[in-house]
Amino acid sequence: MHPCIPNYTWPGVGHQNKNGGGARNPFGEAFAREGHQWTKALCATDTDWDGKTNGEELGDPSCVWTPGKTPSRTVNITHPGVCEPITSTKCQGQNSFVTCQADSFDDNCEIIKNTDVKYVDLRMPTISIPADDTTYMCLSFNLPKDQDYHIVADKPIINNSNVVHHMMLYGCDDANTEFFSTPSECEMSKCTAIIGGWTVGETGECYDEGVGFRIGVTGFKTAVLEIHYNNPKLVSTYKDASGLSVYYRPARPEVLDMFTMMTGQTMLPLPPGQSKIQKAGVCTSSCTSMLFKETVYVNSATNHMHLLGSSMRIELLRKGVVITNLTNEEDFDYNTPFTQDYEVPVKVLPGDEIVTRCVYNTESSNDYVYYGDATSDEMCYGYLTMYPKSALRSAQQNCVATSTLSACELAEGVTYNGCDWKTLIKPNNADVKKIKNDLYENCDLGETCSQECKDIIRTLTDPCFQEDNIIFVRSLEAITEDVFEIIQHLQWCPVTTTHNGPSHNAAVFDDSNTNYNGVTMVTVSSKHVALLIGFVFTLKYSLF
């Protein structure tokens, strides 16, 4: 971790520049002298003169770690090249290369210097942060609507860096959309058009002169600020008043409207102890033909995974051939997000294919990890900023897959392995409520699975509750609480007799051997099973 900017990391461990490259710090110099090897001598040395050996700082106090293995300690890791605490007497004069200020946004964003640019701060009032690992808070705002404007930039207002994980700003089209007049815990914003945001490590977004997000008379009139708070230590005294400064200017005819497309995959069952797990989500050629009526252009692209993500890329294919990588992070770092900006925007044609590939390393995990909101869960999302918005055929602008079903197939309600999931997750589904009530009457999740509970489960004939479909159902972004609670009972009280793994009733998915429109996709392996209890069913992003 960065020694004096909370929530920031120092991925270039051996360099004076936190991002790597250039001059080495004391640890980097010592590492080079050892032939770039983790030797016992290097481990036992205190290169930054702060009283701790390099091994103690990096989680290997006994100097026994070897590549590919998990060190004996993976928490409270400190920097072996920076004397800490940096304000202590012993460290004075030793950290001249360390800056405790985040990168400046105002100096690097030229467009906000125009005299017709205005700004508004959309931020939370001071609120108490719940002592929970993950909390989403929403607050709605009325946007300027005396005329049309374009949002041309935004930058974060970080009040409490200990808990602010990321922020999203959604533009709202529907006048009937829920309006959060006060800060409220929220499950899923009904406004799904992303018009701004921030995540740890970023300094803000600054757009080109010829594009912007339209607000005002013919654009978005209201917005929802959604902040993800991450409080893993369950501190009960944290408060926050963070938000975004949004810069906007009067709309001009030559400025094109932007939109943000999400790509990726939500079916992410990740078994522990693996050095490389590959997942892919496909926005198919037929789906881009349905989404776009003319050519669109990508002017920036960002990858998003969580802590287990190791590499990620977004491929653009034309007629089955990769023509470019929109992103390609071989060493993905959750704490230092990178946005690929294009001086020459990338052309995307109707009928092109967009494949989002995510790779995970779960060697540090002891349990299965699944898709979810918490930092301890995982995600596989790409964010593509595109224009012109007039190229969209409808309001749908996201293309996130769930298993082998594309976003367009999900929008049409295409069944999955005989599972009519669209009917299953309808609100107030009477059949689902009856199943849930029967399970609650006959099953106690805190006790040993009873025969009565097993008998009820054996009566379930809906294909959606069969072994190979359960992970698909829980990966749906619109899963209801009733369906989730049924899945909990199925996992708690297994009745299948064929399983080979640490737990029960859910298939593990592997990305090997199955071709889907020319790319590797997800296939079912029913020999493996995994427990889903603890999955956070509330999902934050919508496909539609």
Side-chain angles (χ1 to χ4, degrees):
M1 299 302 295
H2 196 289
C4 55
I5 305 180
N7 273 343
Y8 278 63
T9 60
W10 196 298
V13 177
H15 295 268
Q16 294 183 12
N17 182 334
K18 67 181 177 63
N19 294 316
R24 297 186 175 105
N25 59 38
F27 175 75
E29 293 173 348
F31 186 52
R33 289 194 295 269
E34 293 295 316
H36 299 97
Q37 300 293 318
W38 182 249
T39 64
K40 287 188 178 295
L42 179 64
C43 176
T45 301
D46 176 14
T47 54
D48 56 9
W49 298 94
D50 60 5
K52 294 181 181 179
T53 68
N54 295 326
E56 290 172 330
E57 300 224 53
L58 293 175
D60 184 25
S62 300
C63 299
V64 296
W65 177 84
T66 57
K69 302 297 182 181
T70 302
S72 60
R73 190 184 80 249
T74 58
V75 297
N76 299 321
I77 302 300
T78 52
H79 201 309
V82 177
C83 185
E84 299 177 74
I86 60 172
T87 57
S88 64
T89 302
K90 64 182 176 183
C91 293
Q92 294 301 307
Q94 297 196 53
N95 298 320
S96 59
F97 56 89
V98 178
T99 175
C100 295
Q101 298 295 320
D103 297 333
S104 172
F105 173 80
D106 292 355
D107 293 340
N108 298 319
C109 185
E110 292 296 324
I111 198 169
I112 65 175
K113 300 174 184 178
N114 287 296
T115 56
D116 63 343
V117 172
K118 304 176 182 180
Y119 78 93
V120 59
D121 289 341
L122 307 181
R123 63 188 300 180
M124 296 284 178
T126 301
I127 58 174
S128 297
I129 307 304
D132 295 321
D133 180 70
T134 296
T135 301
Y136 281 81
M137 299 294 290
C138 288
L139 182 62
S140 296
F141 297 89
N142 290 309
L143 299 174
K145 50 191 174 186
D146 57 309
Q147 66 174 79
D148 274 4
Y149 296 93
H150 278 117
I151 293 176
V152 296
D154 63 69
K155 71 174 182 180
I157 306 167
I158 306 301
N159 177 253
N160 186 344
S161 58
N162 293 300
V163 289
V164 180
H165 174 278
H166 74 257
M167 296 183 282
M168 302 294 281
L169 186 67
Y170 298 96
C172 302
D173 283 313
D174 190 348
N176 296 319
T177 300
E178 182 178 6
F179 192 91
F180 298 95
S181 56
T182 59
S184 306
E185 290 194 41
C186 48
E187 296 182 354
M188 183 167 62
S189 174
K190 294 180 180 179
C191 305
T192 59
I194 300 170
I195 59 174
W198 171 88
T199 190
V200 170
E202 291 185 341
T203 59
E205 290 291 339
C206 185
Y207 305 119
D208 295 332
E209 285 277 351
V211 295
F213 291 105
R214 184 177 291 266
I215 61 174
V217 175
T218 65
F220 298 115
K221 297 176 178 62
T222 60
V224 172
L225 174 68
E226 178 188 80
I227 302 184
H228 173 188
Y229 293 104
N230 189 43
N231 186 8
K233 295 183 179 180
L234 308 182
V235 177
S236 61
T237 56
Y238 279 146
K239 296 183 182 297
D240 181 63
S242 295
L244 293 170
S245 290
V246 176
Y247 295 82
Y248 61 98
R249 67 191 306 190
R252 295 171 292 158
E254 67 272 20
V255 178
L256 299 175
D257 294 346
M258 291 197 302
F259 64 96
T260 301
M261 169 181 273
M262 288 174 60
T263 66
Q265 175 64 252
T266 63
M267 178 106 69
L268 301 175
L270 304 177
Q274 305 298 309
S275 62
K276 187 176 183 180
I277 302 172
Q278 303 181 68
K279 299 294 177 184
V282 182
C283 183
T284 62
S285 58
S286 60
C287 199
T288 61
S289 293
M290 293 177 63
L291 292 173
F292 308 136
K293 59 185 177 184
E294 59 186 64
T295 301
V296 294
Y297 298 87
V298 179
N299 58 0
S300 71
T302 306
N303 294 330
H304 184 71
M305 298 186 288
H306 286 178
L307 297 174
L308 299 180
S310 59
S311 65
M312 181 174 173
R313 71 179 184 270
I314 304 173
E315 301 171 346
L316 178 64
L317 291 81
R318 188 164 296 151
K319 297 181 180 179
V321 177
V322 177
I323 60 172
T324 191
N325 289 324
L326 297 174
T327 65
N328 189 11
E329 288 185 79
E330 295 183 357
D331 295 303
F332 176 86
D333 184 354
Y334 161 79
N335 293 290
T336 54
F338 172 74
T339 296
Q340 177 67 60
D341 293 311
Y342 290 97
E343 289 187 12
V344 179
V346 178
K347 182 186 297 185
V348 179
L349 305 179
D352 284 353
E353 194 166 80
I354 303 171
V355 182
T356 305
R357 297 187 182 276
C358 297
V359 180
Y360 305 88
N361 183 321
T362 63
E363 290 177 310
S364 61
S365 299
N366 295 319
D367 300 301
Y368 273 81
V369 175
Y370 298 90
Y371 170 87
D373 296 326
T375 306
S376 55
D377 298 323
E378 268 305 332
M379 286 186 175
C380 176
Y381 280 134
Y383 296 94
L384 307 179
T385 304
M386 311 174 88
Y387 69 89
K389 190 175 181 181
S390 59
L392 291 171
R393 292 185 183 276
S394 68
Q396 182 179 342
Q397 60 190 51
N398 292 331
C399 203
V400 179
T402 299
S403 187
T404 55
L405 293 189
S406 71
C408 295
E409 290 172 315
L410 290 165
E412 294 172 353
V414 174
T415 60
Y416 181 84
N417 289 341
C419 168
D420 180 7
W421 57 271
K422 195 79 170 182
T423 299
L424 183 77
I425 65 173
K426 282 184 177 179
N428 301 314
N429 183 314
D431 293 334
V432 167
K433 286 189 176 297
K434 183 179 185 306
I435 293 171
K436 187 191 80 170
N437 292 336
D438 288 345
L439 290 171
Y440 266 96
E441 289 176 5
N442 293 277
C443 305
D444 186 345
L445 294 181
E447 303 293 337
T448 302
C449 179
S450 65
Q451 187 60 48
E452 292 82 359
C453 187
K454 291 181 179 181
D455 290 342
I456 290 293
I457 291 175
R458 288 194 179 98
T459 66
L460 301 182
T461 59
D462 191 320
C464 296
F465 295 133
Q466 301 308 305
E467 180 173 316
D468 290 350
N469 289 337
I470 289 179
I471 288 185
F472 171 82
V473 172
R474 54 94 29 217
S475 300
L476 293 169
E477 295 188 314
I479 187 175
T480 62
E481 183 173 359
D482 287 343
V483 173
F484 168 71
E485 291 179 359
I486 292 172
I487 290 176
Q488 271 195 315
H489 282 85
L490 296 181
Q491 308 313 314
W492 185 260
C493 188
V495 298
T496 56
T497 57
T498 303
H499 60 82
N500 176 19
S503 48
H504 312 283
N505 278 3
V508 170
F509 291 80
D510 181 16
D511 282 345
S512 60
N513 302 325
T514 298
N515 284 330
Y516 182 70
N517 282 5
V519 301
T520 303
M521 261 310 292
V522 186
T523 183
V524 178
S525 171
S526 59
K527 295 183 298 181
H528 300 85
V529 289
L531 188 66
L532 298 182
I533 293 175
F535 162 69
V536 180
F537 76 91
T538 304
L539 305 174
K540 306 314 301 183
Y541 305 109
S542 171
L543 290 172
F544 314 116

